[in-house]
Amino acid sequence: MFAEIEPVMEKYAGVPGSLITILQKTQEAYGYLAEDAIFYIAQRTGVPASKIYGVATFYTQFRLKPVGKYILMLCKGTACHVNGAAGIEEAVSEHLGIADGETTADGLFTLDVVACLGCCSLAPVMMVKGPAGEETHGALTKDRVRAIIDEIGAGEKSLKA
Amino acid sequence: MRIVVGEGSCGVASGAKKTEAALAALLAGRGGGIALEKAGCVGNCYLEPIVDVYADDGSLSARYVHATEDRAADILEGAADDLLISGEDAAFLTQQERIVLRNAGLINPEKIEEYIAAGGYEALKKALTQMTPEGVIEEIKASGLRGRGGAGFPTWFKWDAARNADAGGGAKYMVCNADEGDPGAFMDRSVLEGDPHAVLEGMAIGGYAIGAREGVIYVRAEYPLAIVRLETAIAQAEEKGVLGEDIFGSGFGFSIRIKAGAGAFVCGEETALIASLEGERGMPRLKPPFPAQKGFWKQPTNINNVETFANVPFVIREGGAAFAAFGTEKSKGTKVFALAGKIKKGGLVEVPMGLPLKDVIYGIGGGIKNDRAFKAVQMGGPSGGCIPAALADTPVDYESITQTGAIVGSGGMIVMDEDTCMVDMARYFLDFTRKESCGKCNYCRIGTKRMLEILERITAGKGEDGDIEKLEELAVKIKDGSLCGLGQTAPNPVLTTIRYFRNEYEDHIFKKKCTAHYCKALIRYEITDACKGCTLCAKNCPVDAIAGKVKEKHEIDQGLCIKCGKCEDNCKFGAVVRD
Ligand SMILES: Cc1cc2nc3c(=O)[nH]c(=O)nc-3n(C[C@H](O)[C@H](O)[C@H](O)COP(=O)(O)O)c2cc1C
Ligand code: FES
């Protein structure tokens, strides 16, 4: 168990101040921080599990629940807000039947509303994090965001077929 | 000939990678002579993807904008004249004064040779081989450089304090704050992506000045490309020997590592950042002791912002006086602003401090999108405020902007037009600070929540007489009762909107009207005579609130309407309006 993070553990377990890095690498490997992963890290680093939980819940990057294959990081930073991000969020929520932080039943999409992706001049913006890396989409409209989601969905279907 | 594709995050999001791939495929079939390169963002984000063509003598021979992959062949054939940048758009750059962005979009950030060819690492060499650490600090003092992270504190003063601090035989640290927490700001991202070596060089010079041998860059996790470019830059700098042991044979050694943040706005605050670097929850602590005395691992630590560091090589190479030649009496040099929101030409703008706001928004930014009326500009993000159009003559310097109730902040400039509701903007920022409050101080934790509740009530049409006064009272108490800058400045967006747009608050509360037609609870959808009777609105209405015959004007039953806006989204004739 946890073989994927063994190299991380070897490098960081004994280095003071590395807890956040370890959590990031663990989440990268498994998509989220499972309870048993937290206990495992506690055992390896000697940091109490309660404290690890405290750190994990403090930072928005960490997730304690599994996520979908594609994470839709929808920006609601100031520039995006001013340019209609609330409407885009509504369109995504309605299209997929999920709210911020939730995952679709087929395990394909998780909606993650974030505060600024740094592409503010292309507002409204969404970054899609998938198996092949990140892709950022700008100048979103309700129609475009639905089309982006459908395209990913269709690609997945043809993969299965 | 050399072709350069702009590949900052904004370029990539606009399809620059696809353009590059298309160009590469075409060039592969052609045989040599043409080099294909990439660069960071030049600043005209609204024109991405941008492709530059350089002649053999190194001069820019053509700049193509909106250069999508389908036009790659045309660009190579010289058949893309319609994409050539217009004189007006080119003026976006020529009106600027670029120190921090001197290399952005021009050099390949993944090749240290290009940075060196542009004069890079000369300043570090000069500092290490010709100047004492005290001399470096003197030069920074002469430049008048103030911190670009928000507070505008004189950089030399911090360096001097860190230099004189007793490390007790242990280490000192030089930390770069690349957390860029203001939602709507992207200056630091562009510098890191477009010219990472400028930051590394600035940090190394600073390290020499204060006596630190180790540097750490705390980058926000949402900037994956910036992290990759920094990693590449550090590796190349080590290989070239401009980082590492005995740099330029001076005996001075300096190393830099990257630490990725994990998503917490408060970690931009110095003491919270240090806690986060140590792997803890990012909670600020009381100052003093200041980081210069007790910082990272309780050792003397100096923290500066990305842009502050990027200015340093210029100051050392050209001299403090050259930097101080720009700007005003108290605000020296240039400042990079991230222009976004309802602006025609959104992007990166670097101008001498003291330029009037309107010159930035109209002169460079081209004015308001769709020629709507300019209402306000938000500066300083969640710690700042909204400056109304009437104050557009205000010079952009630390003192003048602070006088308006906003702050220069890190450089975010979000332009708002008549369709932006100022009460909603205040609600938006309080929602942000309420979520991002670390919870340590009661006033910040609970006070921001109470303010948010009042603002939510007002925008939901349930505002009451006395709400504005309650907001003002809470604002003062939160400012006084909070330990760190987050709480101390959180009420600013509310206070500035009350100060300049009190009438909008009163309209919401007493007339139950949102004059910007934004707040859902306070608007009505109506169908005008422009209706052609296409029936699309009725078909898309989820509650069947719209009735009408084909080719006849439709009507909305206000009793049934849930104000979802689907009719407006679907109308092709602009016949659905908000009142
Ligand atoms: C809540 C809060 C958030 C901050 N966020 C940032 C940030 O994202 N980037 C930054 O450089 N400074 C930020 N600061 C300011 C830093 O605390 C610090 O003043 C700055 O990094 C010092 O660098 P400078 O002197 O070069 O400006 C923030 C301050 C507060 C109170
Ligand atoms: S505000 Fe959305 S990308 Fe910055």
Side-chain angles (χ1 to χ4, degrees):
Chain A
M1 244 189 129
F2 300 115
E4 291 88 342
I5 52 170
E6 194 46 41
V8 179
M9 286 300 172
E10 263 164 36
K11 186 162 174 203
Y12 293 109
V15 184
S18 300
L19 182 56
I20 293 173
T21 309
I22 292 173
L23 294 179
Q24 283 169 332
K25 303 273 177 198
T26 307
Q27 179 159 297
E28 237 167 66
Y30 305 108
Y32 74 111
L33 301 174
E35 192 175 317
D36 52 354
I38 291 181
F39 279 106
Y40 177 71
I41 295 168
Q43 182 208 323
R44 288 295 299 267
T45 58
V47 178
S50 58
K51 189 174 158 186
I52 299 178
Y53 184 76
V55 169
T57 50
F58 184 85
Y59 295 98
T60 52
Q61 187 189 22
F62 298 120
R63 294 177 294 256
L64 302 174
K65 283 189 296 190
V67 283
K69 188 166 177 185
Y70 295 89
I71 304 174
L72 306 175
M73 297 169 71
L74 184 73
C75 179
K76 271 181 113 178
T78 318
C80 290
H81 177 74
V82 170
N83 280 302
I88 307 292
E89 185 189 355
E90 259 175 40
V92 175
S93 282
E94 213 169 274
H95 199 58
L96 290 172
I98 50 172
D100 179 23
E102 294 178 353
T103 302
T104 51
D106 59 5
L108 218 46
F109 296 104
T110 298
L111 176 59
D112 182 15
V113 173
V114 300
C116 195
L117 295 164
C119 292
C120 320
S121 37
L122 307 175
V125 177
M126 175 171 83
M127 188 191 274
V128 181
K129 236 188 202 167
E134 296 101 6
E135 191 168 357
T136 308
H137 305 268
L140 293 176
T141 60
K142 292 180 183 177
D143 284 338
R144 236 178 79 75
V145 80
R146 282 188 285 253
I148 291 165
I149 292 170
D150 289 345
E151 203 176 298
I152 297 173
E156 285 294 322
K157 254 198 201 128
S158 66
L159 260 186
K160 269 194 206 142
Chain B
M1 192 163 109
R2 202 159 59 93
I3 300 182
V4 180
V5 184
E7 291 190 18
S9 284
C10 42
V12 173
S14 306
K17 276 219 152 56
K18 289 178 187 153
T19 304
E20 188 199 353
L23 286 167
L26 290 166
L27 287 173
R30 281 184 164 222
I34 302 179
L36 185 60
E37 297 274 0
K38 60 179 143 189
C41 168
V42 68
N44 300 70
C45 304
Y46 65 105
L47 298 174
E48 300 282 3
I50 298 175
V51 173
D52 286 344
V53 178
Y54 289 90
D56 288 329
D57 64 0
S59 65
L60 180 68
S61 55
R63 171 165 286 163
Y64 297 103
V65 303
H66 298 304
T68 43
E69 56 180 327
D70 52 313
R71 300 302 302 274
D74 293 343
I75 290 172
L76 292 181
E77 301 305 331
D81 283 358
D82 56 315
L83 300 183
L84 284 173
I85 190 166
S86 70
E88 195 200 320
D89 285 327
F92 180 88
L93 292 176
T94 50
Q95 289 179 76
Q96 303 188 27
E97 200 61 66
R98 293 192 152 199
I99 293 177
V100 173
L101 301 176
R102 58 193 177 271
N103 293 323
L106 303 179
I107 66 166
N108 185 337
E110 294 174 9
K111 289 195 174 159
I112 191 172
E113 296 77 17
E114 297 201 10
Y115 180 68
I116 291 174
Y121 290 108
E122 273 172 24
L124 179 60
K125 187 173 183 183
K126 181 175 173 189
L128 295 188
T129 58
Q130 297 170 31
M131 298 168 83
T132 60
E134 290 80 6
V136 170
I137 294 174
E138 270 312 306
E139 204 60 52
I140 298 290
K141 185 175 183 181
S143 75
L145 176 63
R146 293 167 66 173
R148 300 302 196 226
F153 204 74
T155 303
W156 77 270
F157 192 90
K158 284 173 46 168
W159 288 17
D160 196 46
R163 161 134 210 98
N164 293 322
D166 179 8
K172 290 185 185 180
Y173 297 98
M174 196 65 171
V175 175
C176 174
N177 189 344
D179 200 38
E180 191 146 83
D182 174 359
F186 52 96
M187 308 74 50
D188 295 349
R189 172 186 68 73
S190 298
V191 173
L192 295 172
E193 287 177 359
D195 200 12
H197 286 287
V199 179
L200 303 185
E201 188 179 1
M203 285 179 76
I205 294 170
Y208 173 68
I210 70 164
R213 298 176 48 90
E214 204 181 315
V216 187
I217 307 178
Y218 186 87
V219 198
R220 75 191 302 237
E222 287 89 342
Y223 289 176
L225 183 60
I227 294 178
V228 171
R229 296 242 164 106
L230 274 173
E231 282 168 347
T232 309
I234 291 172
Q236 292 179 351
E238 283 169 352
E239 184 148 316
K240 273 265 182 280
V242 289
L243 285 180
E245 291 305 317
D246 191 23
I247 304 170
F248 294 118
S250 64
F252 173 73
F254 192 72
S255 66
I256 298 180
R257 63 195 168 89
I258 302 169
K259 195 95 175 175
F265 172 64
V266 72
C267 287
E269 196 278 339
E270 300 182 311
T271 58
L273 189 151
I274 288 167
S276 184
L277 281 180
E278 294 173 353
E280 305 282 334
R281 290 162 69 97
M283 315 263 267
R285 62 159 175 79
L286 206 60
K287 293 187 272 192
F290 290 95
Q293 292 127 18
K294 273 197 167 64
F296 190 35
W297 300 127
K298 304 222 163 24
Q299 291 301 111
T301 302
N302 182 77
I303 302 180
N304 279 121
N305 164 264
V306 170
E307 190 182 331
T308 312
F309 281 123
N311 274 305
V312 169
F314 176 90
V315 171
I316 297 302
R317 204 177 63 205
E318 311 290 330
F323 185 84
F326 297 106
T328 65
E329 167 86 39
K330 287 190 178 147
S331 304
K332 296 293 185 200
T334 57
K335 175 81 195 85
V336 182
F337 293 100
L339 201 51
K342 304 279 186 78
I343 185 90
K344 270 196 190 140
K345 303 177 187 172
L348 280 182
V349 177
E350 182 172 356
V351 291
M353 287 213 144
L355 202 71
L357 263 175
K358 66 169 193 290
D359 289 10
V360 177
I361 294 167
Y362 284 96
I364 298 175
I368 313 302
K369 244 191 215 173
N370 304 322
D371 292 317
R372 307 288 289 170
F374 171 40
K375 189 191 259 184
V377 56
Q378 212 286 341
M379 287 185 71
S383 310
C386 294
I387 303 172
L391 297 181
D393 286 324
T394 310
V396 187
D397 61 59
Y398 291 108
E399 282 71 27
S400 310
I401 297 294
T402 302
Q403 248 178 22
T404 67
I407 56 170
V408 168
S410 58
M413 245 191 211
I414 309 276
V415 176
M416 299 166 183
D417 69 5
E418 57 194 300
D419 299 328
T420 314
C421 169
M422 301 316 279
V423 187
D424 175 69
M425 280 322 297
R427 182 205 58 75
Y428 168 84
F429 280 114
L430 259 288
D431 182 50
F432 181 86
T433 37
R434 199 268 307 162
K435 281 186 193 138
E436 296 294 341
S437 167
C438 80
K440 189 165 182 166
C441 309
N442 297 354
Y443 268 112
C444 180
R445 181 179 72 244
I446 306 168
T448 52
K449 174 128 177 85
R450 292 288 98 87
M451 282 185 99
L452 175 63
E453 284 166 358
I454 297 173
L455 291 163
E456 282 179 340
R457 212 155 28 76
I458 299 176
T459 52
K462 300 195 180 107
E464 296 161 8
D465 193 4
D467 274 349
I468 300 179
E469 292 71 20
K470 244 183 248 161
L471 285 172
E472 287 173 327
E473 187 192 336
L474 275 168
V476 175
K477 294 199 165 139
I478 294 170
K479 275 169 169 276
D480 287 348
S482 299
L483 182 150
C484 89
L486 190 148
Q488 287 162 6
T489 58
N492 286 351
V494 181
L495 289 176
T496 51
T497 47
I498 292 180
R499 176 161 159 195
Y500 299 116
F501 301 97
R502 199 181 181 99
N503 59 325
E504 285 197 34
Y505 280 84
E506 288 167 351
D507 286 347
H508 279 73
I509 296 170
F510 301 112
K511 297 188 195 151
K512 306 294 172 203
K513 274 239 161 264
C514 173
T515 38
H517 305 300
Y518 182 85
C519 296
K520 282 217 158 131
L522 302 175
I523 53 173
R524 283 158 61 96
Y525 283 95
E526 306 229 14
I527 298 178
T528 66
D529 290 340
C531 176
K532 300 259 190 278
C534 76
T535 75
L536 257 185
C537 58
K539 280 198 189 112
N540 280 288
C541 178
V543 293
D544 290 329
I546 305 181
K549 293 202 181 101
V550 181
K551 295 198 174 162
E552 279 177 24
K553 187 182 161 207
H554 283 47
E555 290 286 345
I556 299 176
D557 182 336
Q558 297 296 338
L560 292 177
C561 176
I562 55 165
K563 298 171 188 173
C564 68
K566 288 226 161 54
C567 45
E568 187 187 20
D569 289 346
N570 282 290
C571 182
K572 302 212 166 23
F573 308 101
V576 180
V577 296
R578 295 181 221 171
D579 178 40

